[in-house]
Amino acid sequence: MEFEQILYIVVTCFIHVLECIGILIIMVGGLRTFLSYVRSGFNADRHDIKLGFARSLAFSLEFKLAGEILRTVITKTISEMYVLGAIILLRAILTVVIHYEIKFETENERLEQEQEHLEQKHTE
């Protein structure tokens, strides 16, 4: 067996493992988010629920992006490379958008807590 064939098999296995880890993180994060949503009485305004899910998505995308980057090692044609480049670009954009949402939600949560704290001080 040639080195190129061994490399192809090993890289392909690692790609599948990374993809599966990303999928597992999405599934666990989705289930945890849904259970938190149900426990909150279907309150969609809870920032902690949204943040938890956004963090799960961002974390899973990192694994999936790593798999796509590894896939560049075994890509053989330029057309495959174009498709792969587009997938990597889309996943990178999704990651940036999710990180922005996390930052926005964290800031909103902090401002709400400060507002509640000021209201409590004012009523005392």
Side-chain angles (χ1 to χ4, degrees), residues 54-55 57-58 61 93-103:
R55 287 185 177 123
L57 290 176
L61 274 172
I93 290 170
L94 281 172
T95 301
V96 168
V97 169
I98 290 171
H99 280 294
Y100 175 78
E101 183 179 337
I102 290 170
K103 183 179 176 183

Side-chain angles (χ1 to χ4, degrees), residues 47 51 98-109:
H47 295 291
L51 276 173
I98 290 171
H99 280 294
Y100 175 78
E101 183 179 337
I102 290 170
K103 183 179 176 183
F104 180 75
E105 287 293 329
T106 303
E107 184 65 21
N108 276 348
E109 187 174 17

Side-chain angles (χ1 to χ4, degrees), residues 34-70:
F34 179 71
L35 292 175
S36 296
Y37 178 61
V38 170
R39 276 190 243 127
S40 74
F42 300 99
N43 181 1
D45 294 328
R46 294 257 319 264
H47 295 291
D48 58 325
I49 295 173
K50 292 177 184 179
L51 276 173
F53 190 51
R55 287 185 177 123
S56 295
L57 290 176
F59 191 48
S60 70
L61 274 172
E62 291 177 22
F63 282 96
K64 296 183 80 47
L65 189 57
E68 296 300 338
I69 291 169
L70 267 181

Side-chain angles (χ1 to χ4, degrees), residues 83-96:
V83 171
L84 194 55
I87 291 170
I88 290 172
L89 181 63
L90 287 173
R91 288 190 177 171
I93 290 170
L94 281 172
T95 301
V96 168

